Amino acid sequence: MRKLSKLMILIISLLGLAQCIWFIGLVVPIDYLSRSVLETVQTSNTWLLAAALSLSGLLGLACLTGILLAGLAPKKVKQVTFNSPNGKLSISQQAVEKMIQEKVRSHKGIADVKAKLKITGRKPKASVRISAVDHKKQDLVSLGEEIQEMVIHEVDRIMAIPVKRVKVHLKPIDSLKDRRARQPRVV
């Protein structure tokens, strides 16, 4: 998650908690809180008290969840930076995605390759999602396993960070031809 997104969630959650406390002080008679919020008499209807407390409780839980999310969510990285005595090297996410696409595309019988790389965490870990089309009617399970190993090796070679997960989505060429044939032709 980006720093700006975390900051916005944190600000909105803190404002929501303040609103929740203010709302409880308006409806429920609490000694110090109610005197400072409103100088009028609160309601004595039990259904209104129960509704106010339940709505404030739900809002408070949502705001606390937002605060925890802003504080504990892993940082999303768009590039990985390596520091050495000789200098600094940054590798962007898009460059690695293109290298992975080319490596998978070099495998025989595979086309229309799309790679999506996500790098998260304080200690960066990569998650890769590959979608491709098999043109040679090969065994898709074994082909998927080969592609997984190929991607893990390629990411390790390029970036030297561990790969958390590789998801491969393969389609046979027959499924694409059938789908195109069933679509109506518009002239």
Side-chain angles (χ1 to χ4, degrees):
M1 188 178 291
R2 294 186 182 137
K3 288 182 181 180
L4 182 63
S5 301
K6 284 184 176 186
L7 181 66
M8 293 300 294
I9 289 173
L10 184 65
I11 290 171
I12 290 170
S13 296
L14 289 174
L15 288 174
L17 275 178
Q19 186 269 337
C20 179
I21 292 169
W22 171 77
F23 187 59
I24 288 175
L26 282 176
V27 178
V28 180
I30 300 172
D31 285 337
Y32 300 108
L33 180 65
S34 296
R35 278 190 232 138
S36 62
V37 172
L38 187 63
E39 308 249 347
T40 62
V41 178
Q42 282 83 16
T43 183
S44 61
N45 294 341
T46 56
W47 69 270
L48 188 58
L49 290 173
L53 285 175
S54 60
L55 286 174
S56 293
L58 287 174
L59 180 64
L61 285 175
C63 292
L64 286 175
T65 304
I67 290 171
L68 288 174
L69 177 71
L72 301 176
K75 182 180 165 190
K76 197 174 190 182
V77 181
K78 289 287 183 187
Q79 64 184 10
V80 176
T81 305
F82 300 100
N83 295 321
S84 72
N86 297 332
K88 190 182 211 182
L89 173 67
S90 295
I91 301 174
S92 73
Q93 175 183 344
Q94 291 176 335
V96 176
E97 285 176 354
K98 288 187 180 194
M99 287 183 217
I100 292 170
Q101 285 176 355
E102 291 301 318
K103 183 69 173 180
V104 173
R105 200 174 285 136
S106 69
H107 197 281
K108 296 178 183 172
I110 296 182
D112 298 332
V113 179
K114 294 177 185 161
K116 184 71 178 165
L117 176 72
K118 189 186 293 185
I119 306 168
T120 57
R122 297 189 202 288
K123 293 181 180 177
K125 293 179 186 146
S127 295
V128 185
R129 183 176 175 87
I130 303 287
S131 64
V133 177
D134 175 35
H135 284 279
K136 288 193 173 183
K137 297 184 181 180
Q138 302 173 38
D139 179 25
L140 295 181
V141 175
S142 63
L143 184 61
E145 291 171 355
E146 288 177 27
I147 291 174
Q148 280 181 337
E149 292 299 321
M150 188 185 319
V151 168
I152 290 171
H153 178 67
E154 188 71 10
V155 170
D156 186 44
R157 183 185 70 81
I158 296 170
M159 300 174 66
I161 63 173
V163 177
K164 182 178 178 181
R165 166 185 18 215
V166 177
K167 289 186 179 180
V168 179
H169 184 73
L170 289 172
K171 294 179 188 175
I173 190 69
D174 298 338
S175 68
L176 294 178
K177 288 180 182 176
D178 291 340
R179 189 176 348 155
R180 289 182 188 143
R182 282 184 261 148
Q183 292 178 350
R185 184 172 176 206
V186 179
V187 181

